[in-house]
Amino acid sequence: MGTDVRAGVVRPAVDVRAGVVRPAVDVRVGVVRAVRVELGGGLLGEWQERNRRATIPHAIAELRKAGNVDNLRRLIDPLVGPYRGRYPFLDTDLYKTLEGLAYELGRDDPPAGARAFFDEVVGLLEQAQAPDGYLNSYFQDPDQPKQPWSDLGWGHELYNLGHLIQAAVAANRQLSDSRLLTIARRFADLVVRRYGPDGEEIVDGHPEVEMALVELYRETGEAGYLTQARLFVDRRGQGKLEHTIFPGEYFQDHVPFRELPSVTGHAVRMAYLAAGATDVYLETGDTTLLTALERLWDDMVATKLYLTGGLGSRHSDEAIGDRYELPSERAYAETCAAIATMQWAWRMFLATGKARYVDVYETVLYNAYAVGLSADGKAFFYDNPLQRRPDHEQRSGAEAGGEPLRRAWFGCPCCPPNIIRWMSELQDHVAAHTADTLYVGLYTDAQIATPDVAATVATSYPWDGAVTITITKAPTTPHVIALRLPSWSTDAHLTITHPETTPVGPGAVCGTAVGDVEVLWGEGARGVDGVVVEGGWLVVRRGFVAGDVLRLTLPMGVRAHGVHPYVDAARGAIAVARGPLVYCVEQQDVAAAVDDLVLGPRAVQEAAVRRQDDHVVLELTAGVAPPPPPELYPVLTDPPKDTTSGQAVRDRAVGQNPPLDRAVGQNPPLDRLDGSAAGRVAAVFVPYFVWGNRQARAMRVWLRIERDER
């Protein structure tokens, strides 16, 4: 295989060489053009600090305790003990952790024990790898009855390889450490020999390796890896995989990828496959893939994505479910599916330049992804429902017993290490660029730099919508800065200030206003030449100079969301959001039962916004519905009448449930069934991602909408 490894340059997780937008252009010509983003003290930076301080040390301890490290050591020393764990893919939990560690070891003040753990695991992998390049602690274990490559549907060997590659690429890019890359390439070369154009035509039961192989191609220049990724995408749905336990839809293998009518099957598999197919498009320009990807994405967002950005409605097979099948209390919305959806979203943005993909990315980030980790960084949700009933007993994940909310670890611990690596890479998904345009997609405290332009971003987003961007380095020619106008925003305001050496007036800050732009929803920008709205971006083209200040204001009104009438589980309900954050109410924050709360749009609009601890809460007044009738299925029609006497037929004894001696026309009282309010109560709504950090009590995102709101 080729040896064109681009070491020595810190580059992002998705280092595309093509596409409409790219976080970095091809640096092999000797000119580094990468966007460099360093997070500051905002929410995302705080999350990364928590990851370093708490989550990574916790995960290292849990991986040791669970046996993941010893499973590798056993291949070198059989006296270590038997393979520990139920699953053949537990190596991936090490790989995902190593990927996150590669980023953290490249920063100041890395996590405690990170370097020793990284070197230990890499050393074990070097020793455990088979002479032909194969590497899997489960299938290489001498006591396992299954042989390598004997169970592609459930063995996850290529899924393992995918995560190994991604860890290896991260280590090479962030640390200039090629040890993992050497290991990964040996394994990848084996796969190309065995399953490449001249090999056996197979696919893996769990997509993931596709996007990893494309990234390995980007890192090494070896075209065989890109070819292999394309083959795996093209072979799916061609009868190359034996389906057991679940049908072909579960594996996205019932029809060719380009013919999929909708996102389907196992949610993580689907989003990983789509992300890999997007990568293949980015490098090959195969428009048939892009056409399918855009259609699948649009259908997912319109019919299968939760308000929180969660994907997957079924526990039984961790599947996406039918269109509009979006139950709240049984939402699976696996944390890994949230990460996979963000991976797909970011690649679609790079492929098209469209802000709507970053909109979804942001929704997932602040809701479906963030909720998966506890406030202290040491406990996790596997599935992420939008409702918890008062008598709920089920724990997160498949294990019995344990804590009723988040767990310290899982028997299938795919989500915690996935959270770690994604948290370490958040800065790679803040900004991107083309030759003359810097795209700022996420708003957070950060330093952003390209070879042409650099800026400091200061903001308290997502708690408020004020964003200040100060140019610290300017290009010699006119440049473009594109600022995303979030889909939730209905108006925006931008001022551009040019620096001066003396204050403009007594007590004034230095600076002269050179631009004042008003942006209205559905309309263009008005006020300054060179500022336009294009496809969800506020595009500013000018000759920037160091010291220029762009102040973007995105008003964050509290808003109420309804639901499509086909979503039976939430029909007639209302949800609350502010900015990119979905809110919920926990039983701790309201005196009435959350199941009895009713809420109207006016009450939402009148909500008070208050800073509490490290987040923003909403204070509002909700209605309390009258006590519901005891019948599970009350009769809505009047009792039948005798056609001769006109009297109500009483063929059941008085006193039965329901009582039939009620006056005709009062069976049942409708104000006890619909959204009418009998009283009112103060309620505090918290961001969805912070729920479940107190005692386990009821929670709701969707409430009954109040009828005849006062």
Side-chain angles (χ1 to χ4, degrees):
M1 293 293 179
T3 58
D4 180 18
V5 177
R6 300 183 287 164
V9 177
V10 175
R11 297 184 304 282
V14 186
D15 187 16
V16 304
R17 303 187 184 191
V20 173
V21 180
R22 50 196 182 277
V25 300
D26 191 353
V27 299
R28 293 188 301 155
V29 297
V31 180
V32 180
R33 301 274 298 183
V35 171
R36 177 76 171 174
V37 178
E38 295 183 7
L39 299 181
L43 182 60
L44 299 189
E46 292 168 3
W47 285 356
Q48 279 198 340
E49 176 59 27
R50 180 184 60 186
N51 196 41
R52 286 188 287 271
R53 182 189 71 253
T55 311
I56 288 176
H58 171 80
I60 289 174
E62 291 292 336
L63 287 165
R64 291 191 184 281
K65 184 168 65 176
N68 296 63
V69 179
D70 284 343
N71 287 342
L72 285 174
R73 186 172 285 112
R74 170 172 164 72
L75 301 182
I76 303 160
D77 180 7
L79 296 180
V80 168
Y83 182 92
R84 292 165 62 189
R86 294 176 54 192
Y87 303 104
F89 48 82
L90 297 179
D91 293 350
T92 61
D93 303 317
L94 293 172
Y95 299 152
K96 285 180 279 191
T97 303
L98 292 182
E99 183 179 347
L101 290 183
Y103 278 84
E104 299 304 338
L105 291 172
R107 298 183 174 119
D108 296 333
D109 192 24
R115 170 53 72 180
F117 183 80
F118 185 91
D119 288 339
E120 177 186 358
V121 174
V122 172
L124 290 173
L125 292 169
E126 288 176 320
Q127 297 177 73
Q129 189 167 32
D132 66 353
Y134 186 84
L135 184 57
N136 184 295
S137 67
Y138 179 87
F139 285 101
Q140 286 179 264
D141 189 278
D143 292 338
Q144 293 299 333
K146 289 185 177 182
Q147 297 300 308
W149 311 119
S150 63
D151 185 8
L152 289 170
W154 296 101
H156 290 62
E157 288 146 292
L158 296 178
Y159 170 79
N160 273 26
L161 170 60
H163 282 298
L164 171 61
I165 289 172
Q166 288 169 327
V169 168
N172 200 58
R173 289 178 180 170
Q174 305 303 318
L175 303 174
S176 297
D177 185 340
S178 63
R179 291 177 295 165
L180 273 177
L181 192 66
T182 299
I183 297 168
R185 293 194 70 182
R186 291 186 64 213
F187 197 175
D189 292 347
L190 170 64
V191 168
V192 172
R193 291 194 303 270
R194 188 178 182 98
Y195 302 121
D198 300 322
E200 184 182 354
E201 296 186 1
I202 61 92
V203 293
D204 192 67
H206 197 310
E208 206 280 339
V209 74
E210 296 82 0
M211 56 178 157
L213 283 168
V214 175
E215 209 62 50
L216 188 58
Y217 156 72
R218 291 168 178 155
E219 189 68 5
T220 66
E222 173 51 55
Y225 301 140
L226 175 60
T227 298
Q228 191 65 54
R230 179 182 57 78
L231 287 173
F232 283 148
V233 172
D234 290 345
R235 287 172 182 168
R236 196 160 292 273
Q238 302 281 356
K240 310 297 184 184
L241 179 68
E242 180 182 357
H243 306 148
T244 59
I245 304 178
F246 295 115
E249 289 87 347
Y250 173 87
F251 303 96
Q252 300 81 41
D253 193 47
H254 56 302
V255 296
F257 179 81
R258 293 165 181 80
E259 299 174 19
L260 282 173
S262 178
V263 291
T264 188
H266 188 274
V268 181
R269 285 168 164 85
M270 178 70 244
Y272 277 163
L273 175 61
T278 310
D279 272 326
V280 171
Y281 161 74
L282 279 165
E283 301 302 332
T284 66
D286 183 347
T287 56
T288 65
L289 278 175
L290 182 61
T291 298
L293 287 160
E294 290 182 316
R295 173 176 50 78
L296 291 169
W297 177 274
D298 291 346
D299 181 69
M300 176 185 73
V301 173
T303 69
K304 295 189 173 182
L305 210 61
Y306 280 94
L307 180 66
T308 58
L311 180 66
S313 62
R314 295 182 181 175
H315 282 242
S316 62
D317 49 358
E318 299 183 318
I320 293 170
D322 300 333
R323 291 185 176 95
Y324 306 108
E325 182 188 347
L326 296 167
S328 291
E329 68 269 55
R330 293 294 291 166
Y332 200 65
E334 184 183 337
T335 302
C336 282
I339 294 170
T341 303
M342 287 189 285
Q343 288 180 307
W344 184 16
W346 186 252
R347 287 160 172 81
M348 291 298 287
F349 159 58
L350 297 179
T352 66
K354 296 177 180 178
R356 61 193 180 98
Y357 297 111
V358 189
D359 287 336
V360 174
Y361 179 104
E362 180 182 70
T363 297
V364 178
L365 174 66
Y366 286 116
N367 299 285
Y369 166 73
V371 73
L373 182 62
S374 63
D376 67 2
K378 297 180 181 180
F380 309 88
F381 277 144
Y382 195 108
D383 52 298
N384 297 288
L386 280 69
Q387 177 181 346
R388 188 183 194 277
R389 294 190 180 276
D391 59 341
H392 187 71
E393 295 290 342
Q394 181 174 330
R395 272 57 172 166
S396 179
E399 294 82 10
E403 295 298 321
L405 289 171
R406 294 178 177 85
R407 291 177 175 272
W409 209 246
F410 303 95
C412 177
C414 55
C415 295
N418 223 1
I419 288 174
I420 285 172
R421 67 163 180 152
W422 199 254
M423 205 71 80
S424 296
E425 299 171 12
L426 287 178
Q427 70 286 334
D428 287 355
H429 305 94
V430 168
H433 79 106
T434 60
D436 67 345
T437 301
L438 171 64
Y439 290 85
V440 182
L442 296 183
Y443 299 118
T444 186
D445 262 22
Q447 302 285 335
I448 303 175
T450 76
D452 300 317
V453 63
T456 298
V457 181
T459 180
S460 296
Y461 195 95
W463 308 124
D464 69 55
V467 183
T468 300
I469 300 173
T470 303
I471 305 301
T472 56
K473 175 185 175 182
T476 57
T477 58
H479 208 73
V480 175
I481 295 180
L483 307 176
R484 184 176 60 91
L485 297 174
S487 58
W488 52 262
S489 177
T490 58
D491 59 80
H493 187 266
L494 174 71
T495 62
I496 305 171
T497 304
H498 184 71
E500 295 286 351
T501 56
T502 58
V504 174
V509 296
C510 295
T512 300
V514 297
D516 197 19
V517 182
E518 193 73 25
V519 182
L520 300 178
W521 184 54
E523 300 180 15
R526 300 197 301 266
V528 176
D529 290 339
V531 181
V532 297
V533 174
E534 295 178 348
W537 298 100
L538 181 58
V539 180
V540 183
R541 179 182 293 276
R542 60 182 275 109
F544 290 100
V545 298
D548 277 354
V549 177
L550 288 74
R551 290 184 175 87
L552 176 66
T553 302
L554 300 166
M556 283 189 175
V558 184
R559 64 187 186 276
H561 284 272
V563 67
H564 193 285
Y566 293 174
V567 181
D568 298 82
R571 185 185 296 128
I574 191 172
V576 181
R578 179 177 180 268
L581 299 175
V582 174
Y583 277 72
C584 66
V585 60
E586 291 187 89
Q587 189 60 72
Q588 293 93 329
D589 296 319
V590 62
V594 296
D595 287 347
D596 291 335
L597 297 182
V598 294
L599 194 61
R602 189 172 69 189
V604 173
Q605 285 186 306
E606 294 172 353
V609 178
R610 174 171 61 84
R611 190 71 185 242
Q612 175 177 291
D613 300 326
D614 58 352
H615 54 271
V616 167
V617 301
L618 308 177
E619 297 176 334
L620 49 79
T621 301
V624 181
E631 304 93 326
L632 185 58
Y633 305 109
V635 177
L636 299 181
T637 52
D638 292 339
K641 294 182 178 181
D642 185 289
T643 56
T644 57
S645 67
Q647 298 297 311
V649 176
R650 300 171 179 264
D651 54 0
R652 285 179 287 181
V654 172
Q656 284 185 334
N657 190 6
L660 292 181
D661 56 349
R662 290 187 300 208
V664 174
Q666 294 182 346
N667 185 18
L670 292 179
D671 60 358
R672 298 170 70 190
L673 294 175
D674 65 10
S676 299
R680 311 204 74 73
V681 66
V684 175
F685 281 63
V686 299
Y688 170 72
F689 80 80
V690 306
W691 92 270
N693 282 289
R694 297 174 285 180
Q695 66 268 38
R697 300 187 68 185
M699 178 276 293
R700 275 182 176 267
V701 169
W702 291 102
L703 303 175
R704 278 180 285 171
I705 192 166
E706 184 174 358
R707 185 172 67 91
D708 299 329
E709 181 182 16
R710 295 181 179 86

